Amino acid sequence: MEQWRLLLFLFVAFVGFFGEVDAKPRRILFDTDVNSDDIYALIYFLKQNRSEIEIEAISISANAFSNAGHAVNHIYDVLHMMGRDDISVGVGGEGGILPNGTILANVGGYLPLIEQDMSTTGNCRYRQAIYRGEGGLLSVDTNYGLRRKFLPMGDRHYIPLRQPTAQNVMINAISAGPITVFLSGSHTNLAIFLMTHPHLKQNIEHIYVMGGGVRSKSPFGCCPEHSATSCQPSQFCGDTGNLYTGQASNPYAEFNIFTDPFAAYQVFHSGIPLTLVPLDATNTIPINKDFFTAFQQHRSTYEAEYCFQMLNIIRDTWFDDSFYESYFMWDSFAAGVAVSSMKNQHCEDENEFAEMEYMNLTVVTSNKPHGLYDGSNPFFDSRATPKFGLQKNGVHSGHVQTELHDPFCRVDGIEKGICQDGYTKEEDGAGVRVLVATKAKLNPDKQSILDRKFYISFLNALNQPQQSAQFNRTSQLPYHQEILRKPSYKHKVFGKPVVFDMDMSVGDLVALIYLLKVPVEEINIKGILVNGNGWANAATIDIVYDVLHMMGRDDIPVGLGSFTALGTPFLNCKYVNAIPHGSGGLIDSDTLFGLAHNLQQSPRRYRHFVSATKFSFHALACNFPKCHYLDSGTLLKMIDNHLPWKFGR
Ligand SMILES: *[C@@H]1O[C@H](CO)[C@@H](O)[C@H](O)[C@H]1NC(C)=O
Ligand SMILES: *[C@@H]1O[C@H](CO)[C@@H](O)[C@H](O)[C@H]1NC(C)=O
Ligand SMILES: *[C@@H]1O[C@H](CO)[C@@H](O)[C@H](O)[C@H]1NC(C)=O
Ligand SMILES: *[C@@H]1O[C@H](CO)[C@@H](O)[C@H](O)[C@H]1NC(C)=O
């Protein structure tokens, strides 16, 4: 009898134990720079069966494709839409790195490790590859104007001093138990975590990375398959990387890795199992016309609608007419590969959506010859001992790319640049074993117009009724109407006409409100000019619109000017790099110290300019106040000097 009971007990314990292990969802830490395709990836994850896959926390990668204040509020809004206000979100932090390499608590990740010292102020050595205006940070920060139009808003938003930092959120999520990390931005946050908490490394079961290019050959700038014989491929056709604006000097790097190569090196070489979804794979899964059309026909949930509208604007504003050949599933495909491999726990290298191969990889952080000490490398230059205990003459000790047009990278007489910073390179000796997605798998259903297997999974996930949006803007704000508030000026004699030029810092907004309080008979504000190169980023123009709306002055035109200082290259952060990214700096002015959330939204907002006819550069060259874009001079310079795509056309 007793024996029988013991057996029963053992049996129950056994089933309980293994049952529980099986039933436990995979916990995910999602680190993102909140670009559009990061949102696709996030929503794809959130749509998974929560008994299997559970997003636990989100940390914001603040030195890549978006600015921290806008990015974190975008994430809060997406989570609110999805009814997931429970997921913790971390951004920024005021910690620094001492000159001797000691990393203090809460380094905010606003800067790549090579530029990080004791403050949140620093250079944009790598980030200068990302344009600060339309098509770059401005578009991503506002999600092409769509975020404010579409997303419902909850109570959560950035609040100074109360906002959890990126490191705090990581530490809490990772110390709570086994976890998987998904990286879709720069690797700065995770690298800092690994360097400061090596004892918690064991909790990270796996790292999935969208980034890099190994054997990839860029289709960008190449001639279409059935092109006329007159087509000349650009010098960028077939490059490994995809930096576009930086490709002339560095044909090897991809953005996510390039934004902090040293951090990526730390992550790759951490000893934690890593799966990489590089350009090799993503180049094989374009958003082609058939997929686009299928998406257009399948958007039965609010979140699918959000994703589709995003894609639609991106397509309509794509810089040339080859959107269907040059816009790929990047982070969303990586999310698919990650989910498939997590569900297939017993054999992680079998993947439903991608062909996989093990490769020995490293990340190039400096260029040969090593031990050069030419003033480009703060880890070594004018230091008795290298920072972080790095080896003299080691792989980190060469020339580090200083700017996009770094002369070191352009050897006279050679057409291709030679810099490799951020290249995920195959290397047998010093490389680490990484599972690499090499190609998107074809859809076995040959009847389907969708020829990649992941296309189907993506559309199914977004459209399934489970884990759907709990809030919809129309139902959340049933009485909200977008009405412009304009005063009546009957019988008024206007005073001095004034144009107010401001940089959207809090002091400037206070000054604006003061001026608006003066009767129009005395001061008549005819227009407001703002720049994206001062104490706030360009996307903060929406706060100016909201303040005007609050004051009943939707009649005042607002013009957005330059994103960089006059006389500096258009990809640059000269002068603006003196402004801190963190507390009291950009994150606070971009959110009006958290107060912007409580302003009633103006019907006026930043809108990505879509030409009524076919999109072209020419159509963009409009002037204030007709549309809010660059002045034509800058635009022409842009076209002439920098952009590689002129070569292919
Ligand atoms: C979610 O996964 C759990 C555990 O695998 C399963 O029991 C449940 O049926 C799944 N739910 C749905 C809606 O598929
Ligand atoms: C670095 O400097 C700080 C402050 O001066 C000191 O507390 C710390 O011990 C130093 N660390 C190393 C590794 O020398
Ligand atoms: C949002 O909710 C409203 C009212 O419940 C509904 O009519 C509308 O179709 C919803 N919008 C979307 C895109 O689901
Ligand atoms: C990776 O390197 C190891 C040891 O250096 C070697 O044995 C292995 O064959 C390499 N793997 C690949 C895929 O090249």
Side-chain angles (χ1 to χ4, degrees):
M1 182 70 190
E2 282 306 303
Q3 219 171 5
W4 193 84
R5 231 185 242 180
L6 180 68
L7 271 179
L8 184 68
F9 170 79
L10 281 177
F11 177 74
V12 169
F14 180 84
V15 169
F17 180 68
F18 284 97
E20 202 179 17
V21 164
D22 256 355
K24 255 193 195 156
R26 288 286 282 255
R27 302 169 64 241
I28 315 280
L29 169 70
F30 188 84
D31 189 83
T32 167
D33 65 346
V34 202
N35 204 339
S36 321
D37 66 321
D38 296 59
I39 299 291
Y40 305 141
L42 174 60
I43 291 179
Y44 182 82
F45 270 118
L46 291 172
K47 296 292 288 181
Q48 299 302 314
N49 183 341
R50 287 181 62 185
S51 321
E52 293 168 358
I53 286 175
E54 176 79 317
I55 295 266
E56 196 74 24
I58 298 176
S59 49
I60 304 229
S61 153
N63 58 8
F65 253 99
S66 60
N67 291 297
H70 296 290
V72 66
N73 282 340
H74 189 185
I75 289 289
Y76 279 136
D77 291 351
V78 168
L79 290 178
H80 182 67
M81 165 177 81
M82 300 300 285
R84 293 303 307 275
D85 289 333
D86 59 307
I87 296 175
S88 57
V89 180
V91 69
E94 294 298 306
I97 300 182
L98 294 175
N100 68 9
T102 300
I103 302 176
L104 303 183
N106 287 316
V107 175
Y110 295 111
L111 301 161
L113 283 170
I114 198 166
E115 302 289 356
Q116 178 69 57
D117 54 24
M118 287 302 291
S119 77
T120 64
T121 318
N123 216 347
C124 56
R125 183 187 289 254
Y126 305 115
R127 203 186 185 198
Q128 63 190 294
I130 299 166
Y131 182 45
R132 295 171 57 85
E134 198 146 62
L137 297 175
L138 171 58
S139 301
V140 174
D141 282 346
T142 56
N143 205 11
Y144 300 83
L146 204 60
R147 179 185 139 209
R148 278 163 54 99
K149 177 183 162 203
F150 202 91
L151 291 186
M153 280 162 70
D155 291 334
R156 288 208 299 174
H157 60 98
Y158 170 80
I159 302 174
L161 307 179
R162 276 197 243 159
Q163 171 60 47
T165 64
Q167 288 300 315
N168 248 328
V169 162
M170 282 192 152
I171 293 163
N172 288 342
I174 296 172
S175 58
I179 197 161
T180 297
V181 180
F182 183 84
L183 299 177
S184 61
S186 68
H187 291 197
T188 315
N189 289 332
L190 186 60
I192 291 168
F193 173 85
L194 294 172
M195 290 163 85
T196 48
H197 295 78
H199 58 288
L200 285 177
K201 218 184 255 189
Q202 69 204 42
N203 279 7
I204 304 179
E205 295 179 305
H206 205 102
I207 301 172
Y208 292 91
V209 173
M210 191 281 128
V214 186
R215 301 171 190 163
S216 45
K217 287 191 171 29
S218 170
F220 184 74
C222 302
C223 294
E225 238 169 72
H226 309 290
S227 69
T229 45
S230 64
C231 172
Q232 282 290 320
S234 91
Q235 70 175 107
F236 302 103
C237 168
D239 280 355
T240 311
N242 74 343
L243 288 186
Y244 306 116
T245 52
Q247 225 155 302
S249 53
N250 183 332
Y252 300 94
E254 174 279 340
F255 277 108
N256 285 344
I257 307 293
F258 185 69
T259 37
D260 195 344
F262 185 78
Y265 183 95
Q266 299 305 320
V267 169
F268 274 65
H269 289 261
S270 64
I272 301 166
L274 191 142
T275 296
L276 182 70
V277 182
L279 297 175
D280 306 46
T282 59
N283 279 345
T284 66
I285 184 158
I287 302 274
N288 61 24
K289 203 165 188 168
D290 288 333
F291 173 77
F292 189 91
T293 310
F295 198 176
Q296 195 161 27
Q297 290 161 354
H298 295 93
R299 39 192 167 119
S300 55
T301 61
Y302 198 69
E303 59 275 19
E305 182 66 27
Y306 185 57
C307 292
F308 177 75
Q309 288 199 20
M310 224 184 321
L311 195 61
N312 199 30
I313 301 182
I314 296 171
R315 182 194 64 161
D316 289 348
T317 57
W318 199 241
F319 56 79
D320 67 4
D321 50 14
S322 65
F323 169 85
Y324 293 123
E325 291 85 43
S326 51
Y327 192 87
F328 298 95
M329 286 188 143
W330 291 285
D331 299 337
S332 49
F333 185 58
V337 171
V339 165
S340 160
S341 118
M342 283 186 269
K343 283 188 180 168
N344 189 8
Q345 287 193 16
H346 307 293
C347 190
E348 289 205 327
D349 49 349
E350 265 300 310
N351 202 282
E352 196 183 346
F353 305 121
E355 287 170 22
M356 310 296 287
E357 186 178 335
Y358 280 102
M359 296 183 194
N360 292 326
L361 299 184
T362 189
V363 179
V364 177
T365 60
S366 76
N367 297 281
K368 286 177 182 167
H370 294 144
L372 187 61
Y373 312 129
D374 63 355
S376 68
N377 190 338
F379 288 144
F380 294 86
D381 295 329
S382 34
R383 300 176 61 99
T385 50
K387 208 165 182 177
F388 303 132
L390 300 180
Q391 252 175 28
K392 286 185 176 177
N393 304 315
V395 290
H396 306 297
S397 69
H399 177 92
V400 182
Q401 194 169 348
T402 54
E403 53 180 333
L404 285 189
H405 304 284
D406 187 338
F408 179 95
C409 308
R410 299 303 306 269
V411 180
D412 281 348
I414 301 180
E415 205 182 55
K416 280 227 180 283
I418 57 163
C419 281
Q420 299 193 338
D421 308 59
Y423 179 22
T424 46
K425 188 179 184 180
E426 285 182 87
E427 204 159 272
D428 261 351
V432 285
R433 193 168 127 102
V434 169
L435 186 58
V436 181
T438 55
K439 204 173 166 202
K441 279 192 176 163
L442 296 179
N443 184 358
D445 176 7
K446 298 280 181 265
Q447 305 301 311
S448 168
I449 57 160
L450 300 177
D451 60 359
R452 299 288 183 277
K453 203 167 178 201
F454 182 66
Y455 288 148
I456 314 279
S457 167
F458 181 79
L459 291 182
N460 282 344
L462 259 59
N463 284 294
Q464 65 152 358
Q466 290 91 0
Q467 282 91 248
S468 269
Q470 307 277 304
F471 301 95
N472 146 343
R473 207 173 159 91
T474 324
S475 52
Q476 190 193 29
L477 304 166
Y479 303 108
H480 179 74
Q481 282 178 305
E482 298 213 321
I483 296 176
L484 291 170
R485 295 186 193 136
K486 296 181 179 184
S488 149
Y489 290 122
K490 254 188 220 158
H491 316 302
K492 293 235 159 142
V493 180
F494 291 109
K496 237 187 197 12
V498 169
V499 170
F500 189 62
D501 193 327
M502 62 187 283
D503 72 353
M504 308 185 278
S505 66
V506 174
D508 293 31
L509 283 165
V510 171
L512 172 63
I513 291 172
Y514 177 84
L515 287 177
L516 292 170
K517 297 293 286 182
V518 179
V520 290
E521 289 89 339
E522 287 172 45
I523 285 183
N524 175 24
I525 299 184
K526 298 285 282 184
I528 296 173
L529 304 180
V530 296
N531 282 326
N533 63 354
W535 206 274
N537 289 294
T540 308
I541 190 172
D542 284 341
I543 295 181
V544 178
Y545 284 131
D546 288 354
V547 165
L548 289 173
H549 190 59
M550 171 178 81
M551 302 298 288
R553 293 302 304 272
D554 290 330
D555 58 311
I556 301 177
V558 184
L560 178 57
S562 179
F563 307 103
T564 46
L566 281 181
T568 62
F570 99 109
L571 288 160
N572 197 277
C573 61
K574 197 170 174 183
Y575 308 122
V576 73
N577 61 6
I579 296 167
H581 287 278
S583 278
L586 294 168
I587 194 169
D588 283 332
S589 46
D590 283 347
T591 56
L592 196 56
F593 285 81
L595 291 173
H597 183 83
N598 301 332
L599 289 173
Q600 194 187 344
Q601 288 186 0
S602 167
R604 292 199 296 171
R605 67 182 82 90
Y606 164 77
R607 284 162 218 258
H608 199 83
F609 184 72
V610 185
S611 159
T613 56
K614 194 160 173 49
F615 179 81
S616 71
F617 276 115
H618 187 73
L620 276 177
C622 57
N623 284 319
F624 165 81
K626 230 174 78 204
C627 69
H628 308 128
Y629 198 66
L630 299 166
D631 61 274
S632 45
T634 313
L635 199 67
L636 290 177
K637 250 193 244 150
M638 226 171 104
I639 295 167
D640 277 343
N641 297 344
H642 297 288
L643 298 187
W645 48 77
K646 69 179 166 157
F647 293 107
R649 321 192 69 227

